[in-house]
DNA sequence: CTGATATCATTTGCATACGAATGAATTTGA
DNA sequence: TCAAATTCATTCGTATGCAAATGATATCAG
């Protein structure tokens, strides 16, 4: 093996790159931490509902009755996950289920009066939560961040 | 009730605000979706390890042997979560556990040779995953995004 | 030196999250 | 029209993620 080969191996070797790998610089790791922080802030303001449960109620409040599957698509949850969320909201009387008259496969979900009251009460808190989550940024930075984040999501 | 009262109620009523609330504009919801997308990209490139498992191995590769608790702090997992992650890595022979000689409360975690091989093999893939996650952004946008995201995390 | 505190790890319980398999109902296409 | 493909919902299994309680050990304060 020549000296040039050794030089080449050093330059192209995996080791230097591997030593330079730092988890805290990876977008996935920071994304996970930012999400964790948001969920934590959410819990300090709304302690009787999780973010996914809130999302389900907010979406139903926005669009009205829909199928469980369609709701899942709108709030980015797969069928198995949305079922659990809806089950728990139903157990608490915040949503009610009914069968679709025409398409017998579908399970319709809608807010109960209690669910409507709950989401109307919580939406102002959700605005506070959003504000607190973005608090480390200036208004301009927050706008930029949301724009770029949306491109990634 | 006077006409002025009605006007006042309309302007100050909750309904307009509530109707304006859209889940897809909330930072928490978008953050959750961006995280989901990243995890999905991760899984297409690394199908035998989860992001938290990868994080544990990468951190151990970076800093060497440490206590389970300390590792949890470094990779942003609480004690209960990190235990499960380490248990599964141990079951696969990627990490090994030992007792701290002095402080008998501590459980030391370290990479096995197999774990070291695995993380060295995976780090290049992790770089690809980061790249793919950030692909919707230009290089400049990605830099801005990472800077702002880090301020939030 | 010792009782109060704090730290480390474990366990339990609950709530996402998703892949894969299944069954029922609907839609498609040759 | 009718078999194949698709859609909707459910179930199971596995893996985070966190709060709260517990037990063992270590540290601190008086």
């Amino acid at each position: 093996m020549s000296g040039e080969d050794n030089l080449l191996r050093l330059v192209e070797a995996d080791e230097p790159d591997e030593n330079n790998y730092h988890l805290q610089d990876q977008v996935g790791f920071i994304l996970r931490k930012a999400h964790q922080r948001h969920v934590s802030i959410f819990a300090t303001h709304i302690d009787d509902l999780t973010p996914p449960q809130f999302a389900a109620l907010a979406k139903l409040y926005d669009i009205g009755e829909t199928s469980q599957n369609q709701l899942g698509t709108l709030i980015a949850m797969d069928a198995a996950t949305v079922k659990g969320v809806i089950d728990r909201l139903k157990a608490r009387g915040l949503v009610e289920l009914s069968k679709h008259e025409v398409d017998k496969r579908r399970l319709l979900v809608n807010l109960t009066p209690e669910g409507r009251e709950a989401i109307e009460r919580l939406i102002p808190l959700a605005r506070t939560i959003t504000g607190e989550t973005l608090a480390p940024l200036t208004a301009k930075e927050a706008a930029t961040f949301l724009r770029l984040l949306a491109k990634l999501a």
Side-chain angles (χ1 to χ4, degrees), chain A:
Chain A
M1 191 179 288
S2 73
E4 280 181 354
D5 282 341
N6 280 329
L7 181 60
L8 203 60
R9 284 184 61 232
L10 233 175
V11 170
E12 296 183 354
D14 283 335
E15 275 188 31
D17 260 342
E18 284 162 3
N19 287 335
N20 279 339
Y21 186 84
H22 291 122
L23 196 62
Q24 33 285 128
D25 301 330
Q26 306 303 308
V27 64
F29 183 70
I30 318 178
L31 218 37
R32 176 169 149 270
K33 287 216 299 177
H35 181 246
Q36 279 178 0
R37 173 170 168 273
H38 167 75
V39 172
S40 171
I41 291 170
F42 186 100
T44 65
H45 292 277
I46 299 179
D47 64 351
D48 59 342
L49 225 53
T50 65
Q53 288 167 4
F54 174 85
L57 295 185
K59 183 53 73 176
L60 287 172
Y61 184 67
D62 188 19
I63 65 164
E65 186 175 61
T66 187
S67 75
Q68 189 173 275
N69 223 41
Q70 174 65 9
L71 180 62
T73 299
L74 293 172
I75 59 180
M77 283 177 216
D78 81 355
T81 301
V82 81
K83 182 183 192 311
V85 172
I86 294 303
D87 277 354
R88 285 180 283 277
L89 292 174
K90 175 171 182 277
R92 292 175 51 183
L94 299 177
V95 302
E96 56 193 359
L97 305 179
S98 58
K99 288 178 182 172
H100 192 286
E101 290 298 319
V102 177
D103 188 339
K104 294 177 184 173
R105 295 169 305 177
R106 295 189 194 170
L107 187 62
L108 296 175
V109 190
N110 206 356
L111 292 177
T112 60
E114 293 76 18
R116 178 168 292 268
E117 279 173 33
I119 192 63
E120 288 178 350
R121 174 176 58 83
L122 294 176
I123 281 176
L125 296 182
R127 297 189 193 283
T128 301
I129 291 166
T130 292
E132 194 167 324
T133 299
L134 292 173
L137 306 182
T138 67
K140 193 171 187 174
E141 285 176 333
T144 301
F145 176 74
L146 286 173
R147 181 174 61 81
L148 299 180
L149 183 62
K151 289 178 81 170
L152 284 196

